[in-house]
Amino acid sequence: NEAYRYLQFAAENDHIEAQHILGIVLVRGDIYSDQQSRGLAWLGTAASEGHTFSAILLGHLYEHGRFGVKKDPCFARDWYELCHLLGVEGAVTFISAIDEFYVCN
């Protein structure tokens, strides 16, 4: 509980790694159940600040519908597009795989 408070404090004070880790902990339900939306928000915050692994993870969660996250391949594609913009070379492969089966606007 004390470690969680420190992690949350660091995340709230713009520590990008803490945002990423807190997002994972909440999405997985490691401490509290039914906190996926908060976890996704923290991962989104970290990804928006340039944390590439958060963006990849968000793409994966939405592409495959893991940990109770509703499957949404087009939203996953958006996160993979951010990965590409952040310089992740393999992101094009993920985007192409989604484009093969879905039409996203």
Side-chain angles (χ1 to χ4, degrees):
N1 230 0
E2 188 172 338
Y4 173 77
R5 285 195 307 270
Y6 283 118
L7 186 60
Q8 186 168 349
F9 176 82
E12 289 171 350
N13 285 281
D14 302 324
H15 189 279
I16 198 166
E17 287 295 326
Q19 293 167 345
H20 174 76
I21 294 167
L22 183 58
I24 291 172
V25 166
L26 292 173
V27 166
R28 288 177 24 153
D30 291 343
I31 298 174
Y32 301 111
S33 60
D34 300 322
Q35 294 294 312
Q36 286 84 8
S37 61
R38 286 185 58 222
L40 292 171
W42 279 116
L43 287 171
T45 299
S48 296
E49 293 296 323
H51 195 271
T52 55
F53 189 55
S54 291
I56 292 168
L57 182 56
L58 283 163
H60 180 79
L61 290 170
Y62 282 107
E63 182 179 5
H64 301 285
R66 303 276 195 242
F67 297 105
V69 175
K70 185 179 176 188
K71 186 175 179 176
D72 186 339
C74 291
F75 199 40
R77 188 190 189 288
D78 291 342
W79 287 111
Y80 292 144
E81 185 69 31
L82 176 59
C83 292
H84 179 66
L85 294 171
L86 292 172
V88 177
E89 293 178 24
V92 173
T93 304
F94 298 132
I95 293 167
S96 296
I98 290 173
D99 288 348
E100 186 176 336
F101 296 103
Y102 302 94
V103 175
C104 299
N105 297 329

PDB file of all heavy atoms in Angstrom, residues 86-105:
ATOM      1  N   LEU A  86       6.917   7.865 -33.021  1.00  0.00           N
ATOM      2  CA  LEU A  86       7.953   7.949 -31.995  1.00  0.00           C
ATOM      3  C   LEU A  86       9.230   7.212 -32.412  1.00  0.00           C
ATOM      4  O   LEU A  86      10.194   7.184 -31.659  1.00  0.00           O
ATOM      5  CB  LEU A  86       7.439   7.391 -30.664  1.00  0.00           C
ATOM      6  CG  LEU A  86       6.344   8.210 -29.978  1.00  0.00           C
ATOM      7  CD1 LEU A  86       5.793   7.455 -28.777  1.00  0.00           C
ATOM      8  CD2 LEU A  86       6.872   9.576 -29.566  1.00  0.00           C
ATOM      9  N   GLY A  87       9.207   6.617 -33.612  1.00  0.00           N
ATOM     10  CA  GLY A  87      10.413   5.993 -34.134  1.00  0.00           C
ATOM     11  C   GLY A  87      10.534   4.497 -33.945  1.00  0.00           C
ATOM     12  O   GLY A  87      11.606   3.938 -34.174  1.00  0.00           O
ATOM     13  N   VAL A  88       9.467   3.825 -33.538  1.00  0.00           N
ATOM     14  CA  VAL A  88       9.505   2.370 -33.381  1.00  0.00           C
ATOM     15  C   VAL A  88       9.385   1.737 -34.762  1.00  0.00           C
ATOM     16  O   VAL A  88       8.328   1.800 -35.393  1.00  0.00           O
ATOM     17  CB  VAL A  88       8.376   1.874 -32.450  1.00  0.00           C
ATOM     18  CG1 VAL A  88       8.376   0.354 -32.360  1.00  0.00           C
ATOM     19  CG2 VAL A  88       8.500   2.510 -31.076  1.00  0.00           C
ATOM     20  N   GLU A  89      10.469   1.146 -35.243  1.00  0.00           N
ATOM     21  CA  GLU A  89      10.504   0.622 -36.602  1.00  0.00           C
ATOM     22  C   GLU A  89       9.483  -0.490 -36.835  1.00  0.00           C
ATOM     23  O   GLU A  89       8.865  -0.552 -37.885  1.00  0.00           O
ATOM     24  CB  GLU A  89      11.905   0.119 -36.926  1.00  0.00           C
ATOM     25  CG  GLU A  89      12.931   1.230 -36.987  1.00  0.00           C
ATOM     26  CD  GLU A  89      14.330   0.711 -37.258  1.00  0.00           C
ATOM     27  OE1 GLU A  89      14.457  -0.384 -37.839  1.00  0.00           O
ATOM     28  OE2 GLU A  89      15.273   1.413 -36.883  1.00  0.00           O
ATOM     29  N   GLY A  90       9.295  -1.370 -35.889  1.00  0.00           N
ATOM     30  CA  GLY A  90       8.383  -2.490 -36.054  1.00  0.00           C
ATOM     31  C   GLY A  90       6.910  -2.130 -36.037  1.00  0.00           C
ATOM     32  O   GLY A  90       6.059  -2.969 -36.323  1.00  0.00           O
ATOM     33  N   ALA A  91       6.592  -0.901 -35.723  1.00  0.00           N
ATOM     34  CA  ALA A  91       5.193  -0.483 -35.637  1.00  0.00           C
ATOM     35  C   ALA A  91       4.481  -0.623 -36.973  1.00  0.00           C
ATOM     36  O   ALA A  91       3.284  -0.916 -37.013  1.00  0.00           O
ATOM     37  CB  ALA A  91       5.092   0.950 -35.132  1.00  0.00           C
ATOM     38  N   VAL A  92       5.190  -0.451 -38.058  1.00  0.00           N
ATOM     39  CA  VAL A  92       4.592  -0.565 -39.390  1.00  0.00           C
ATOM     40  C   VAL A  92       4.028  -1.974 -39.596  1.00  0.00           C
ATOM     41  O   VAL A  92       2.980  -2.145 -40.211  1.00  0.00           O
ATOM     42  CB  VAL A  92       5.620  -0.206 -40.485  1.00  0.00           C
ATOM     43  CG1 VAL A  92       5.079  -0.483 -41.870  1.00  0.00           C
ATOM     44  CG2 VAL A  92       6.034   1.250 -40.353  1.00  0.00           C
ATOM     45  N   THR A  93       4.690  -2.969 -39.048  1.00  0.00           N
ATOM     46  CA  THR A  93       4.222  -4.349 -39.152  1.00  0.00           C
ATOM     47  C   THR A  93       2.874  -4.506 -38.461  1.00  0.00           C
ATOM     48  O   THR A  93       1.960  -5.144 -38.995  1.00  0.00           O
ATOM     49  CB  THR A  93       5.252  -5.316 -38.531  1.00  0.00           C
ATOM     50  OG1 THR A  93       6.500  -5.122 -39.173  1.00  0.00           O
ATOM     51  CG2 THR A  93       4.804  -6.758 -38.670  1.00  0.00           C
ATOM     52  N   PHE A  94       2.734  -3.923 -37.275  1.00  0.00           N
ATOM     53  CA  PHE A  94       1.471  -4.009 -36.537  1.00  0.00           C
ATOM     54  C   PHE A  94       0.355  -3.274 -37.287  1.00  0.00           C
ATOM     55  O   PHE A  94      -0.778  -3.763 -37.370  1.00  0.00           O
ATOM     56  CB  PHE A  94       1.612  -3.426 -35.129  1.00  0.00           C
ATOM     57  CG  PHE A  94       2.613  -4.139 -34.269  1.00  0.00           C
ATOM     58  CD1 PHE A  94       3.561  -3.422 -33.564  1.00  0.00           C
ATOM     59  CD2 PHE A  94       2.610  -5.514 -34.140  1.00  0.00           C
ATOM     60  CE1 PHE A  94       4.488  -4.056 -32.750  1.00  0.00           C
ATOM     61  CE2 PHE A  94       3.525  -6.167 -33.334  1.00  0.00           C
ATOM     62  CZ  PHE A  94       4.476  -5.433 -32.641  1.00  0.00           C
ATOM     63  N   ILE A  95       0.678  -2.111 -37.821  1.00  0.00           N
ATOM     64  CA  ILE A  95      -0.298  -1.319 -38.572  1.00  0.00           C
ATOM     65  C   ILE A  95      -0.757  -2.093 -39.807  1.00  0.00           C
ATOM     66  O   ILE A  95      -1.955  -2.183 -40.087  1.00  0.00           O
ATOM     67  CB  ILE A  95       0.296   0.056 -38.954  1.00  0.00           C
ATOM     68  CG1 ILE A  95       0.524   0.890 -37.694  1.00  0.00           C
ATOM     69  CG2 ILE A  95      -0.616   0.787 -39.928  1.00  0.00           C
ATOM     70  CD1 ILE A  95       1.386   2.125 -37.924  1.00  0.00           C
ATOM     71  N   SER A  96       0.181  -2.669 -40.531  1.00  0.00           N
ATOM     72  CA  SER A  96      -0.146  -3.431 -41.745  1.00  0.00           C
ATOM     73  C   SER A  96      -1.023  -4.634 -41.428  1.00  0.00           C
ATOM     74  O   SER A  96      -1.941  -4.949 -42.184  1.00  0.00           O
ATOM     75  CB  SER A  96       1.133  -3.890 -42.443  1.00  0.00           C
ATOM     76  OG  SER A  96       1.879  -2.791 -42.881  1.00  0.00           O
ATOM     77  N   ALA A  97      -0.747  -5.300 -40.316  1.00  0.00           N
ATOM     78  CA  ALA A  97      -1.546  -6.465 -39.927  1.00  0.00           C
ATOM     79  C   ALA A  97      -2.991  -6.069 -39.649  1.00  0.00           C
ATOM     80  O   ALA A  97      -3.930  -6.785 -40.038  1.00  0.00           O
ATOM     81  CB  ALA A  97      -0.932  -7.136 -38.707  1.00  0.00           C
ATOM     82  N   ILE A  98      -3.188  -4.943 -39.011  1.00  0.00           N
ATOM     83  CA  ILE A  98      -4.550  -4.473 -38.737  1.00  0.00           C
ATOM     84  C   ILE A  98      -5.217  -4.044 -40.043  1.00  0.00           C
ATOM     85  O   ILE A  98      -6.379  -4.387 -40.306  1.00  0.00           O
ATOM     86  CB  ILE A  98      -4.543  -3.338 -37.704  1.00  0.00           C
ATOM     87  CG1 ILE A  98      -4.175  -3.898 -36.337  1.00  0.00           C
ATOM     88  CG2 ILE A  98      -5.908  -2.637 -37.636  1.00  0.00           C
ATOM     89  CD1 ILE A  98      -3.970  -2.871 -35.258  1.00  0.00           C
ATOM     90  N   ASP A  99      -4.484  -3.323 -40.890  1.00  0.00           N
ATOM     91  CA  ASP A  99      -5.048  -2.860 -42.163  1.00  0.00           C
ATOM     92  C   ASP A  99      -5.459  -3.997 -43.080  1.00  0.00           C
ATOM     93  O   ASP A  99      -6.349  -3.847 -43.915  1.00  0.00           O
ATOM     94  CB  ASP A  99      -4.051  -1.961 -42.889  1.00  0.00           C
ATOM     95  CG  ASP A  99      -3.892  -0.601 -42.232  1.00  0.00           C
ATOM     96  OD1 ASP A  99      -4.723  -0.263 -41.353  1.00  0.00           O
ATOM     97  OD2 ASP A  99      -2.931   0.115 -42.576  1.00  0.00           O
ATOM     98  N   GLU A 100      -4.845  -5.157 -42.894  1.00  0.00           N
ATOM     99  CA  GLU A 100      -5.171  -6.322 -43.717  1.00  0.00           C
ATOM    100  C   GLU A 100      -6.584  -6.832 -43.435  1.00  0.00           C
ATOM    101  O   GLU A 100      -7.250  -7.353 -44.325  1.00  0.00           O
ATOM    102  CB  GLU A 100      -4.148  -7.421 -43.457  1.00  0.00           C
ATOM    103  CG  GLU A 100      -4.293  -8.632 -44.347  1.00  0.00           C
ATOM    104  CD  GLU A 100      -3.188  -9.645 -44.119  1.00  0.00           C
ATOM    105  OE1 GLU A 100      -2.095  -9.258 -43.647  1.00  0.00           O
ATOM    106  OE2 GLU A 100      -3.446 -10.831 -44.400  1.00  0.00           O
ATOM    107  N   PHE A 101      -7.062  -6.667 -42.212  1.00  0.00           N
ATOM    108  CA  PHE A 101      -8.349  -7.239 -41.828  1.00  0.00           C
ATOM    109  C   PHE A 101      -9.422  -6.207 -41.487  1.00  0.00           C
ATOM    110  O   PHE A 101     -10.600  -6.546 -41.403  1.00  0.00           O
ATOM    111  CB  PHE A 101      -8.162  -8.162 -40.624  1.00  0.00           C
ATOM    112  CG  PHE A 101      -7.299  -9.352 -40.921  1.00  0.00           C
ATOM    113  CD1 PHE A 101      -5.980  -9.379 -40.497  1.00  0.00           C
ATOM    114  CD2 PHE A 101      -7.797 -10.420 -41.652  1.00  0.00           C
ATOM    115  CE1 PHE A 101      -5.179 -10.480 -40.782  1.00  0.00           C
ATOM    116  CE2 PHE A 101      -7.014 -11.520 -41.930  1.00  0.00           C
ATOM    117  CZ  PHE A 101      -5.691 -11.548 -41.507  1.00  0.00           C
ATOM    118  N   TYR A 102      -9.047  -4.963 -41.266  1.00  0.00           N
ATOM    119  CA  TYR A 102     -10.006  -3.952 -40.825  1.00  0.00           C
ATOM    120  C   TYR A 102      -9.854  -2.680 -41.653  1.00  0.00           C
ATOM    121  O   TYR A 102      -8.778  -2.366 -42.116  1.00  0.00           O
ATOM    122  CB  TYR A 102      -9.791  -3.593 -39.340  1.00  0.00           C
ATOM    123  CG  TYR A 102      -9.907  -4.782 -38.416  1.00  0.00           C
ATOM    124  CD1 TYR A 102      -8.784  -5.499 -38.025  1.00  0.00           C
ATOM    125  CD2 TYR A 102     -11.160  -5.181 -37.952  1.00  0.00           C
ATOM    126  CE1 TYR A 102      -8.891  -6.593 -37.197  1.00  0.00           C
ATOM    127  CE2 TYR A 102     -11.274  -6.280 -37.113  1.00  0.00           C
ATOM    128  CZ  TYR A 102     -10.142  -6.983 -36.736  1.00  0.00           C
ATOM    129  OH  TYR A 102     -10.250  -8.077 -35.916  1.00  0.00           O
ATOM    130  N   VAL A 103     -10.953  -1.950 -41.770  1.00  0.00           N
ATOM    131  CA  VAL A 103     -10.924  -0.635 -42.402  1.00  0.00           C
ATOM    132  C   VAL A 103     -11.120   0.384 -41.288  1.00  0.00           C
ATOM    133  O   VAL A 103     -12.179   0.432 -40.657  1.00  0.00           O
ATOM    134  CB  VAL A 103     -12.042  -0.493 -43.455  1.00  0.00           C
ATOM    135  CG1 VAL A 103     -12.063   0.930 -44.016  1.00  0.00           C
ATOM    136  CG2 VAL A 103     -11.861  -1.517 -44.556  1.00  0.00           C
ATOM    137  N   CYS A 104     -10.071   1.139 -41.030  1.00  0.00           N
ATOM    138  CA  CYS A 104     -10.115   2.135 -39.953  1.00  0.00           C
ATOM    139  C   CYS A 104     -10.069   3.530 -40.581  1.00  0.00           C
ATOM    140  O   CYS A 104      -9.338   3.752 -41.538  1.00  0.00           O
ATOM    141  CB  CYS A 104      -8.926   1.962 -39.023  1.00  0.00           C
ATOM    142  SG  CYS A 104      -8.866   0.341 -38.204  1.00  0.00           S
ATOM    143  N   ASN A 105     -10.836   4.429 -40.025  1.00  0.00           N
ATOM    144  CA  ASN A 105     -10.856   5.803 -40.530  1.00  0.00           C
ATOM    145  C   ASN A 105      -9.885   6.672 -39.803  1.00  0.00           C
ATOM    146  O   ASN A 105      -9.594   6.612 -38.720  1.00  0.00           O
ATOM    147  CB  ASN A 105     -12.267   6.401 -40.423  1.00  0.00           C
ATOM    148  CG  ASN A 105     -13.230   5.618 -41.299  1.00  0.00           C
ATOM    149  OD1 ASN A 105     -12.838   5.089 -42.325  1.00  0.00           O
ATOM    150  ND2 ASN A 105     -14.468   5.551 -40.864  1.00  0.00           N
TER     151      ASN A 105
END
